[in-house]
Coordinates of all heavy atoms in Angstrom, one line a residue:
M15 N 11.0 36.2 38.2 CA 9.7 36.8 38.5 C 8.6 36.2 37.6 O 8.8 35.2 37.0 CB 9.9 38.3 38.1 CG 9.5 39.2 39.3 SD 9.7 40.9 39.0 CE 11.5 41.0 39.4
W16 N 7.4 36.7 37.6 CA 6.3 36.2 36.8 C 6.0 34.8 37.1 O 6.1 33.9 36.2 CB 6.4 36.5 35.3 CG 6.6 37.9 35.0 CD1 6.1 39.0 35.6 CD2 7.5 38.4 34.0 NE1 6.5 40.1 35.0 CE2 7.4 39.8 34.0 CE3 8.3 37.8 33.1 CZ2 8.1 40.6 33.2 CZ3 9.0 38.7 32.2 CH2 8.9 40.1 32.3
E17 N 5.8 34.4 38.3 CA 5.6 33.1 38.7 C 4.2 32.6 38.7 O 3.3 33.4 39.0 CB 6.2 32.9 40.2 CG 7.7 33.2 40.3 CD 8.1 33.2 41.7 OE1 7.4 32.8 42.6 OE2 9.3 33.5 41.9
V18 N 4.0 31.4 38.4 CA 2.7 30.8 38.4 C 2.3 30.7 39.9 O 3.1 30.2 40.7 CB 2.6 29.4 37.7 CG1 1.3 28.7 37.9 CG2 3.0 29.5 36.3
P19 N 1.1 31.1 40.2 CA 0.7 31.0 41.6 C 0.7 29.6 42.2 O 0.5 28.6 41.4 CB -0.8 31.5 41.6 CG -0.9 32.3 40.4 CD 0.0 31.7 39.4
P20 N 1.1 29.4 43.4 CA 1.2 28.0 44.0 C -0.1 27.3 43.8 O -1.2 27.8 44.0 CB 1.4 28.3 45.5 CG 2.0 29.7 45.6 CD 1.4 30.4 44.4
G21 N 0.0 26.0 43.4 CA -1.2 25.2 43.2 C -1.9 25.4 41.8 O -2.9 24.8 41.5
S22 N -1.3 26.3 41.0 CA -1.9 26.5 39.7 C -1.0 26.0 38.6 O 0.2 26.1 38.7 CB -2.1 28.0 39.5 OG -2.6 28.3 38.2
S23 N -1.6 25.5 37.6 CA -0.8 25.1 36.4 C -1.2 26.0 35.2 O -0.9 25.6 34.1 CB -1.1 23.6 36.1 OG -2.5 23.5 35.8
S24 N -1.8 27.1 35.5 CA -2.2 28.0 34.4 C -1.1 28.6 33.7 O -0.2 29.2 34.2 CB -3.0 29.2 35.0 OG -3.3 30.1 34.0
P25 N -1.1 28.5 32.3 CA 0.0 29.1 31.5 C -0.3 30.6 31.3 O 0.5 31.2 30.7 CB -0.2 28.3 30.2 CG -1.6 27.9 30.1 CD -2.0 27.7 31.6
C26 N -1.4 31.0 31.8 CA -1.8 32.4 31.5 C -0.8 33.4 32.1 O -0.6 34.5 31.5 CB -3.1 32.7 32.1 SG -4.5 31.8 31.3
I27 N -0.1 33.1 33.2 CA 0.9 34.0 33.7 C 2.0 34.4 32.7 O 2.5 35.5 32.8 CB 1.5 33.4 35.0 CG1 2.2 34.5 35.8 CG2 2.4 32.3 34.7 CD1 1.3 35.5 36.5
Y28 N 2.3 33.5 31.8 CA 3.3 33.8 30.8 C 3.0 34.8 29.8 O 3.8 35.2 29.0 CB 3.8 32.5 30.2 CG 4.3 31.5 31.3 CD1 3.6 30.4 31.6 CD2 5.5 31.8 31.9 CE1 4.1 29.5 32.6 CE2 5.9 31.0 32.9 CZ 5.2 29.9 33.3 OH 5.7 29.0 34.3
V29 N 1.7 35.2 29.7 CA 1.3 36.3 28.8 C 2.1 37.6 29.2 O 2.4 38.4 28.4 CB -0.2 36.6 28.9 CG1 -0.6 37.8 28.0 CG2 -1.0 35.3 28.4
A30 N 2.5 37.7 30.5 CA 3.3 38.9 30.9 C 4.6 39.0 30.2 O 5.1 40.1 30.0 CB 3.5 38.8 32.4
E31 N 5.1 37.9 29.8 CA 6.4 37.9 29.1 C 6.3 38.5 27.7 O 7.3 38.7 27.0 CB 7.0 36.5 29.1 CG 7.3 36.0 30.4 CD 7.8 34.6 30.5 OE1 7.9 33.9 29.4 OE2 8.1 34.1 31.6
Q32 N 5.0 38.6 27.2 CA 4.8 39.2 25.9 C 5.1 40.7 25.9 O 5.3 41.3 24.9 CB 3.4 39.0 25.4 CG 3.0 37.6 25.4 CD 3.8 36.8 24.4 OE1 4.0 37.2 23.2 NE2 4.4 35.7 24.8
G33 N 5.1 41.3 27.2 CA 5.5 42.7 27.3 C 4.3 43.7 27.0 O 3.1 43.3 27.1
P34 N 4.6 44.9 26.6 CA 3.6 45.9 26.4 C 2.5 45.5 25.4 O 2.9 44.9 24.4 CB 4.4 47.1 25.9 CG 5.8 46.9 26.4 CD 6.0 45.4 26.4
G35 N 1.3 45.7 25.7 CA 0.2 45.4 24.8 C -0.3 44.0 24.9 O -1.2 43.6 24.1
A36 N 0.2 43.2 25.8 CA -0.2 41.8 26.0 C -1.7 41.8 26.3 O -2.3 42.6 26.9 CB 0.6 41.1 27.1
S37 N -2.4 40.7 25.8 CA -3.8 40.6 26.0 C -4.2 39.3 26.7 O -4.2 38.3 26.0 CB -4.6 40.7 24.7 OG -6.0 40.6 24.9
W38 N -4.5 39.4 28.0 CA -5.0 38.2 28.7 C -6.4 38.0 28.2 O -6.8 36.8 28.1 CB -5.0 38.5 30.2 CG -3.7 38.3 30.8 CD1 -3.2 37.1 31.4 CD2 -2.6 39.2 31.0 NE1 -2.0 37.3 31.9 CE2 -1.5 38.5 31.6 CE3 -2.4 40.5 30.6 CZ2 -0.3 39.2 31.9 CZ3 -1.2 41.1 30.9 CH2 -0.2 40.5 31.5
H39 N -7.2 39.0 28.0 CA -8.6 38.9 27.6 C -8.7 38.1 26.3 O -9.5 37.2 26.3 CB -9.2 40.3 27.5 CG -10.6 40.3 27.2 ND1 -11.6 40.2 28.2 CD2 -11.3 40.4 26.0 CE1 -12.8 40.2 27.7 NE2 -12.7 40.4 26.4
A40 N -8.0 38.4 25.3 CA -8.1 37.8 24.0 C -7.7 36.3 24.1 O -8.2 35.5 23.4 CB -7.2 38.5 23.0
R41 N -6.8 35.9 25.1 CA -6.4 34.6 25.2 C -7.2 33.8 26.2 O -7.0 32.6 26.5 CB -4.9 34.5 25.7 CG -4.0 35.1 24.6 CD -2.6 35.3 25.2 NE -1.9 36.2 24.3 CZ -0.8 35.8 23.7 NH1 -0.2 34.7 23.9 NH2 -0.1 36.7 22.9
G42 N -8.3 34.4 26.8 CA -9.2 33.7 27.7 C -8.5 33.5 29.1 O -8.9 32.6 29.8
C43 N -7.5 34.2 29.4 CA -6.8 34.1 30.7 C -7.4 35.1 31.7 O -7.1 36.3 31.6 CB -5.3 34.4 30.5 SG -4.5 33.2 29.4
F44 N -8.2 34.6 32.6 CA -8.9 35.4 33.5 C -8.5 35.2 35.0 O -9.0 35.8 35.8 CB -10.4 35.3 33.4 CG -10.9 35.7 32.0 CD1 -11.2 34.7 31.0 CD2 -11.0 37.0 31.7 CE1 -11.6 35.1 29.8 CE2 -11.4 37.4 30.4 CZ -11.7 36.5 29.5
D45 N -7.6 34.2 35.3 CA -7.3 33.9 36.6 C -5.8 34.1 36.9 O -4.9 33.3 36.5 CB -7.6 32.5 36.9 CG -7.4 32.1 38.4 OD1 -7.0 33.0 39.2 OD2 -7.7 31.0 38.8
L46 N -5.5 35.3 37.5 CA -4.1 35.6 37.9 C -4.0 35.9 39.4 O -3.2 36.7 39.8 CB -3.6 36.8 37.1 CG -3.3 36.6 35.6 CD1 -2.9 37.9 34.9 CD2 -2.2 35.5 35.4
R47 N -4.9 35.2 40.1 CA -4.9 35.4 41.6 C -3.5 35.0 42.1 O -2.9 34.0 41.7 CB -5.9 34.5 42.2 CG -7.4 34.9 41.9 CD -8.4 34.0 42.5 NE -8.3 32.8 41.7 CZ -8.8 31.6 42.0 NH1 -9.5 31.5 43.1 NH2 -8.7 30.6 41.2
N48 N -3.0 35.9 43.0 CA -1.8 35.7 43.7 C -0.5 35.7 42.8 O 0.5 35.2 43.2 CB -1.8 34.4 44.6 CG -2.9 34.4 45.6 OD1 -3.1 35.4 46.3 ND2 -3.7 33.4 45.6
A49 N -0.7 36.2 41.6 CA 0.5 36.2 40.7 C 1.5 37.2 41.1 O 1.1 38.3 41.7 CB 0.0 36.5 39.3
D50 N 2.7 37.0 40.9 CA 3.8 37.9 41.2 C 4.3 38.5 39.9 O 5.0 37.9 39.1 CB 5.0 37.1 41.8 CG 6.1 38.1 42.3 OD1 6.1 39.3 41.9 OD2 7.0 37.6 42.9
L51 N 3.8 39.7 39.6 CA 4.2 40.4 38.4 C 5.0 41.6 38.6 O 5.1 42.5 37.8 CB 2.9 40.8 37.6 CG 2.0 39.7 37.2 CD1 0.6 40.2 36.7 CD2 2.6 38.9 36.1
R52 N 5.7 41.7 39.8 CA 6.5 42.8 40.1 C 7.4 43.3 39.0 O 8.1 42.5 38.4 CB 7.4 42.5 41.3 CG 6.6 42.5 42.6 CD 7.5 42.1 43.8 NE 7.9 40.6 43.6 CZ 8.7 40.0 44.3 NH1 9.4 40.6 45.3 NH2 9.0 38.7 44.1
G53 N 7.4 44.6 38.7 CA 8.3 45.2 37.8 C 8.0 45.0 36.3 O 8.7 45.4 35.4
A54 N 6.9 44.3 36.0 CA 6.6 44.0 34.6 C 6.2 45.2 33.8 O 5.6 46.2 34.4 CB 5.5 42.9 34.5
N55 N 6.5 45.3 32.5 CA 6.1 46.4 31.7 C 4.8 45.9 30.9 O 4.9 45.2 29.9 CB 7.1 46.8 30.7 CG 6.7 47.9 29.8 OD1 5.6 48.5 30.0 ND2 7.6 48.3 28.9
L56 N 3.7 46.3 31.4 CA 2.4 45.9 30.8 C 1.6 47.1 30.2 O 0.4 47.1 30.2 CB 1.5 45.2 31.9 CG 2.2 43.9 32.5 CD1 1.3 43.3 33.6 CD2 2.6 42.9 31.5
Q57 N 2.4 48.1 29.8 CA 1.8 49.3 29.2 C 0.9 48.9 28.1 O 1.2 48.1 27.2 CB 2.9 50.2 28.7 CG 2.3 51.5 28.2 CD 3.4 52.5 27.9 OE1 4.5 52.4 28.2 NE2 3.0 53.6 27.2
G58 N -0.4 49.4 28.1 CA -1.3 49.2 27.1 C -1.9 47.8 27.0 O -2.6 47.4 26.1
S59 N -1.7 47.0 28.1 CA -2.2 45.6 28.1 C -3.7 45.6 28.3 O -4.3 46.5 28.9 CB -1.5 44.8 29.2 OG -0.1 44.6 28.8
D60 N -4.3 44.5 27.9 CA -5.8 44.3 28.0 C -6.0 43.2 29.1 O -5.8 42.1 28.9 CB -6.4 43.8 26.7 CG -7.9 43.7 26.7 OD1 -8.5 43.9 27.8 OD2 -8.5 43.3 25.7
L61 N -6.4 43.7 30.3 CA -6.6 42.9 31.4 C -8.1 42.9 31.8 O -8.5 42.5 32.9 CB -5.8 43.3 32.6 CG -4.3 43.1 32.4 CD1 -3.5 44.2 33.2 CD2 -3.9 41.8 32.9
R62 N -9.0 43.2 30.9 CA -10.4 43.3 31.2 C -10.9 42.0 31.8 O -10.7 40.9 31.2 CB -11.2 43.5 29.9 CG -11.2 44.9 29.4 CD -12.0 45.0 28.1 NE -11.2 44.3 27.1 CZ -11.7 43.8 26.0 NH1 -13.0 43.9 25.8 NH2 -11.0 43.2 25.1
G63 N -11.6 42.1 32.9 CA -12.3 41.0 33.6 C -11.3 40.0 34.2 O -11.8 38.9 34.7
V64 N -10.0 40.3 34.3 CA -9.1 39.3 35.0 C -9.2 39.4 36.5 O -9.4 40.5 37.0 CB -7.7 39.6 34.5 CG1 -6.6 38.9 35.2 CG2 -7.5 39.4 33.0
D65 N -9.1 38.3 37.2 CA -9.0 38.3 38.6 C -7.6 38.4 39.1 O -6.8 37.5 38.9 CB -9.6 37.0 39.2 CG -9.8 37.0 40.7 OD1 -9.2 37.9 41.3 OD2 -10.5 36.1 41.2
L66 N -7.2 39.5 39.6 CA -5.9 39.8 40.1 C -5.8 39.9 41.6 O -4.9 40.4 42.2 CB -5.4 41.2 39.5 CG -5.1 41.2 38.0 CD1 -5.1 42.6 37.5 CD2 -3.8 40.5 37.7
S67 N -6.8 39.2 42.3 CA -6.9 39.3 43.7 C -5.6 38.7 44.3 O -5.1 37.6 43.9 CB -8.1 38.5 44.2 OG -9.3 39.1 43.8
G68 N -5.1 39.4 45.3 CA -3.9 39.0 46.0 C -2.6 39.1 45.2 O -1.5 38.7 45.7
A69 N -2.7 39.6 44.0 CA -1.5 39.7 43.1 C -0.6 40.8 43.6 O -1.0 41.7 44.2 CB -1.9 39.9 41.6
N70 N 0.7 40.6 43.2 CA 1.7 41.6 43.5 C 2.0 42.4 42.2 O 2.7 41.8 41.4 CB 3.0 41.0 44.1 CG 4.0 42.1 44.6 OD1 4.0 43.2 44.1 ND2 4.8 41.7 45.5
L71 N 1.5 43.6 42.1 CA 1.8 44.4 40.9 C 2.7 45.6 41.3 O 2.7 46.6 40.6 CB 0.5 44.9 40.4 CG -0.5 43.9 40.0 CD1 -1.8 44.5 39.5 CD2 0.0 42.9 38.9
D72 N 3.5 45.5 42.3 CA 4.4 46.5 42.7 C 5.4 46.9 41.6 O 6.0 46.1 41.0 CB 5.2 46.1 43.9 CG 4.4 45.9 45.2 OD1 3.2 46.3 45.1 OD2 4.9 45.4 46.2
G73 N 5.4 48.2 41.3 CA 6.3 48.7 40.3 C 6.0 48.4 38.8 O 6.7 48.6 37.9
V74 N 4.8 47.8 38.6 CA 4.4 47.5 37.2 C 4.0 48.7 36.4 O 3.4 49.6 37.0 CB 3.2 46.5 37.3 CG1 2.6 46.2 35.9 CG2 3.6 45.2 38.0
N75 N 4.3 48.7 35.2 CA 3.9 49.8 34.3 C 2.6 49.4 33.7 O 2.5 48.5 32.8 CB 4.9 50.0 33.2 CG 4.5 51.1 32.2 OD1 3.5 51.8 32.4 ND2 5.4 51.4 31.2
L76 N 1.5 50.0 34.1 CA 0.1 49.7 33.6 C -0.4 51.0 32.9 O -1.6 51.1 32.7 CB -0.8 49.3 34.7 CG -0.6 47.9 35.2 CD1 -1.4 47.7 36.5 CD2 -0.9 46.9 34.2
R77 N 0.5 51.9 32.4 CA 0.0 53.0 31.7 C -0.9 52.6 30.5 O -0.5 51.7 29.8 CB 1.2 53.9 31.2 CG 1.9 54.6 32.3 CD 3.0 55.4 31.7 NE 3.7 56.2 32.7 CZ 4.9 56.0 33.2 NH1 5.6 55.0 32.7 NH2 5.4 56.7 34.1
D78 N -2.0 53.3 30.3 CA -2.9 53.0 29.2 C -3.5 51.6 29.2 O -4.0 51.2 28.1 CB -2.2 53.3 27.8 CG -1.7 54.7 27.7 OD1 -2.5 55.6 28.0 OD2 -0.5 54.9 27.4
A79 N -3.3 50.8 30.2 CA -3.9 49.5 30.3 C -5.4 49.5 30.5 O -5.9 50.4 31.1 CB -3.2 48.7 31.4
N80 N -6.0 48.5 30.0 CA -7.5 48.3 30.2 C -7.7 47.3 31.4 O -7.5 46.1 31.2 CB -8.2 47.8 29.0 CG -9.7 47.8 29.1 OD1 -10.2 48.0 30.2 ND2 -10.3 47.7 28.0
L81 N -8.1 47.8 32.5 CA -8.3 47.0 33.7 C -9.8 47.1 34.1 O -10.2 46.8 35.2 CB -7.5 47.5 34.9 CG -6.0 47.3 34.7 CD1 -5.2 48.5 35.2 CD2 -5.6 46.1 35.4
Q82 N -10.7 47.3 33.1 CA -12.1 47.4 33.4 C -12.6 46.1 33.9 O -12.3 45.0 33.4 CB -12.9 47.9 32.2 CG -12.5 49.3 31.8 CD -13.2 49.7 30.5 OE1 -13.3 48.9 29.6 NE2 -13.5 51.0 30.3
K83 N -13.5 46.1 34.9 CA -14.1 45.0 35.5 C -13.2 43.9 36.0 O -13.5 42.7 36.1 CB -15.1 44.3 34.4 CG -16.2 45.2 34.0 CD -17.1 44.6 33.0 CE -18.2 45.5 32.6 NZ -19.1 44.9 31.6
T84 N -12.0 44.4 36.4 CA -11.0 43.4 37.1 C -11.4 43.3 38.5 O -12.0 44.2 39.1 CB -9.6 43.9 36.9 OG1 -9.4 45.2 37.5 CG2 -9.1 43.9 35.5
K85 N -11.0 42.2 39.1 CA -11.1 42.0 40.5 C -9.7 42.1 41.1 O -8.9 41.3 40.8 CB -11.7 40.6 40.8 CG -12.1 40.3 42.2 CD -12.8 39.0 42.4 CE -13.2 38.8 43.9 NZ -13.9 37.5 44.0
C86 N -9.5 43.1 42.0 CA -8.2 43.4 42.5 C -8.3 43.4 44.1 O -7.8 44.3 44.7 CB -7.7 44.7 42.0 SG -7.4 44.7 40.2
V87 N -9.0 42.5 44.7 CA -9.2 42.5 46.1 C -7.8 42.1 46.8 O -7.3 41.0 46.5 CB -10.3 41.5 46.5 CG1 -10.4 41.4 48.0 CG2 -11.6 41.9 45.9
G88 N -7.3 43.0 47.6 CA -6.0 42.7 48.3 C -4.8 42.7 47.4 O -3.8 42.2 47.7
T89 N -4.9 43.3 46.2 CA -3.8 43.4 45.3 C -2.9 44.5 45.7 O -3.3 45.6 46.1 CB -4.4 43.7 43.8 OG1 -5.3 42.7 43.5 CG2 -3.3 43.8 42.8
S90 N -1.6 44.3 45.6 CA -0.6 45.3 45.9 C -0.2 46.1 44.7 O 0.2 45.6 43.7 CB 0.6 44.7 46.5 OG 1.6 45.7 46.9
F91 N -0.3 47.5 44.8 CA 0.0 48.4 43.7 C 1.1 49.4 44.1 O 1.1 50.5 43.5 CB -1.3 49.2 43.3 CG -2.4 48.4 42.6 CD1 -3.5 47.9 43.3 CD2 -2.3 48.2 41.2 CE1 -4.5 47.2 42.7 CE2 -3.3 47.5 40.6 CZ -4.4 47.0 41.3
K92 N 2.0 49.1 45.0 CA 3.0 50.0 45.4 C 3.9 50.4 44.2 O 4.5 49.5 43.6 CB 3.8 49.4 46.5 CG 3.1 49.2 47.8 CD 3.9 48.5 48.8 CE 3.0 48.1 50.0 NZ 3.7 47.1 50.8
G93 N 4.0 51.7 44.0 CA 4.8 52.2 42.9 C 4.4 51.8 41.5 O 5.1 52.0 40.6
T94 N 3.1 51.4 41.4 CA 2.6 51.0 40.1 C 2.2 52.2 39.3 O 1.7 53.2 39.8 CB 1.4 50.1 40.2 OG1 1.8 48.9 40.9 CG2 0.8 49.7 38.9
H95 N 2.5 52.3 38.0 CA 2.2 53.4 37.1 C 0.9 53.1 36.5 O 0.7 52.2 35.7 CB 3.3 53.5 36.0 CG 4.7 53.7 36.6 ND1 5.1 54.9 37.1 CD2 5.7 52.8 36.7 CE1 6.4 54.7 37.5 NE2 6.7 53.5 37.3
L96 N -0.1 54.0 36.9 CA -1.5 53.8 36.4 C -2.0 54.9 35.6 O -3.2 55.1 35.4 CB -2.4 53.5 37.6 CG -2.2 52.2 38.4 CD1 -2.9 52.3 39.7 CD2 -2.8 51.1 37.5
Q97 N -1.1 55.8 35.0 CA -1.6 56.9 34.2 C -2.4 56.4 33.0 O -2.0 55.5 32.3 CB -0.4 57.7 33.8 CG 0.4 58.4 34.8 CD 1.5 57.5 35.5 OE1 1.5 56.3 35.2 NE2 2.3 58.1 36.3
Q98 N -3.6 57.0 32.9 CA -4.5 56.7 31.8 C -5.0 55.3 31.8 O -5.6 54.9 30.8 CB -3.8 57.1 30.4 CG -3.4 58.5 30.3 CD -4.5 59.5 30.4 OE1 -5.5 59.3 29.9 NE2 -4.2 60.5 31.3
A99 N -4.8 54.5 32.8 CA -5.3 53.2 32.9 C -6.8 53.3 33.1 O -7.3 54.2 33.8 CB -4.7 52.4 34.0
R100 N -7.6 52.3 32.6 CA -9.0 52.3 32.7 C -9.4 51.3 33.8 O -9.1 50.1 33.6 CB -9.7 52.0 31.3 CG -9.4 53.1 30.3 CD -9.9 52.8 28.9 NE -9.2 51.7 28.3 CZ -8.0 51.7 27.8 NH1 -7.2 52.7 27.9 NH2 -7.5 50.6 27.1
L101 N -10.0 51.8 34.8 CA -10.3 51.0 36.0 C -11.8 50.9 36.3 O -12.2 50.5 37.4 CB -9.6 51.5 37.2 CG -8.1 51.3 37.2 CD1 -7.4 52.2 38.1 CD2 -7.7 49.8 37.6
S102 N -12.7 51.4 35.4 CA -14.1 51.5 35.7 C -14.7 50.1 36.0 O -14.3 49.1 35.4 CB -14.9 52.1 34.6 OG -14.8 51.4 33.4
H103 N -15.6 50.0 37.0 CA -16.3 48.8 37.4 C -15.3 47.8 37.9 O -15.7 46.6 37.9 CB -17.1 48.3 36.3 CG -18.1 49.2 35.7 ND1 -19.2 49.7 36.4 CD2 -18.1 49.9 34.5 CE1 -19.8 50.6 35.7 NE2 -19.2 50.7 34.5
S104 N -14.2 48.2 38.4 CA -13.2 47.2 39.0 C -13.4 47.2 40.5 O -13.8 48.1 41.1 CB -11.8 47.6 38.7 OG -11.5 47.5 37.3
D105 N -13.1 46.0 41.1 CA -13.2 45.8 42.6 C -11.8 46.0 43.2 O -11.0 45.1 43.0 CB -13.8 44.4 42.9 CG -14.0 44.2 44.3 OD1 -13.6 45.0 45.2 OD2 -14.6 43.2 44.7
L106 N -11.6 47.1 43.9 CA -10.3 47.4 44.4 C -10.3 47.4 45.9 O -9.4 48.0 46.6 CB -9.8 48.8 43.9 CG -9.7 49.0 42.4 CD1 -9.6 50.5 42.0 CD2 -8.6 48.2 41.9
R107 N -11.2 46.7 46.5 CA -11.2 46.6 48.0 C -9.9 46.1 48.6 O -9.3 45.1 48.0 CB -12.4 45.7 48.5 CG -13.7 46.3 48.2 CD -14.8 45.3 48.6 NE -14.8 44.2 47.6 CZ -15.2 43.0 47.9 NH1 -15.5 42.6 49.1 NH2 -15.2 42.1 46.9
N108 N -9.5 46.7 49.7 CA -8.3 46.3 50.4 C -7.0 46.3 49.6 O -6.1 45.5 49.8 CB -8.5 44.9 51.1 CG -9.6 44.9 52.0 OD1 -9.8 45.8 52.8 ND2 -10.5 43.8 51.9
S109 N -7.0 47.1 48.5 CA -5.8 47.2 47.7 C -5.0 48.4 48.0 O -5.5 49.4 48.5 CB -6.2 47.2 46.2 OG -6.7 46.0 45.9

């Protein structure tokens, strides 16, 4: 799981392996388009401003995560845990 999107050499996807509380924002990782993060435990993670368009977040634990100003166009959230997640100013079209 947690695969780098096709055509991308971004190491940012591996921040998911840090588990709960991981911070893409602090590492300057803002492009996770089409990422496959199914089943990851990202509780309390900082994803502010990250582009998650087309990503698969099915079954991901995003409790208490900061998703403010994220772009989630066409992102899949089936079975995702979003309790207390912050989603203000996020683009959730077609998700």
Side-chain angles (χ1 to χ4, degrees):
M15 234 174 281
W16 305 321
E17 298 173 7
V18 174
S22 173
S23 60
S24 174
C26 293
I27 195 71
Y28 299 109
V29 177
E31 295 176 0
Q32 302 301 309
S37 179
W38 278 267
H39 185 82
R41 295 171 195 237
C43 295
F44 297 102
D45 186 359
L46 289 175
R47 290 174 291 168
N48 302 309
D50 183 353
L51 297 170
R52 288 177 288 173
N55 182 4
L56 304 178
Q57 183 171 351
S59 292
D60 185 358
L61 291 150
R62 284 176 290 155
V64 172
D65 188 348
L66 291 162
S67 296
N70 186 336
L71 301 178
D72 294 350
V74 173
N75 179 3
L76 287 170
R77 288 182 175 107
D78 300 310
N80 187 347
L81 292 142
Q82 294 173 325
K83 298 182 181 179
T84 57
K85 186 174 182 181
C86 298
V87 177
T89 302
S90 182
F91 288 99
K92 293 176 187 163
T94 301
H95 304 281
L96 291 164
Q97 294 86 348
Q98 304 300 313
R100 294 174 298 285
L101 291 157
S102 63
H103 306 290
S104 293
D105 185 350
L106 300 168
R107 290 176 287 148
N108 302 317
S109 292

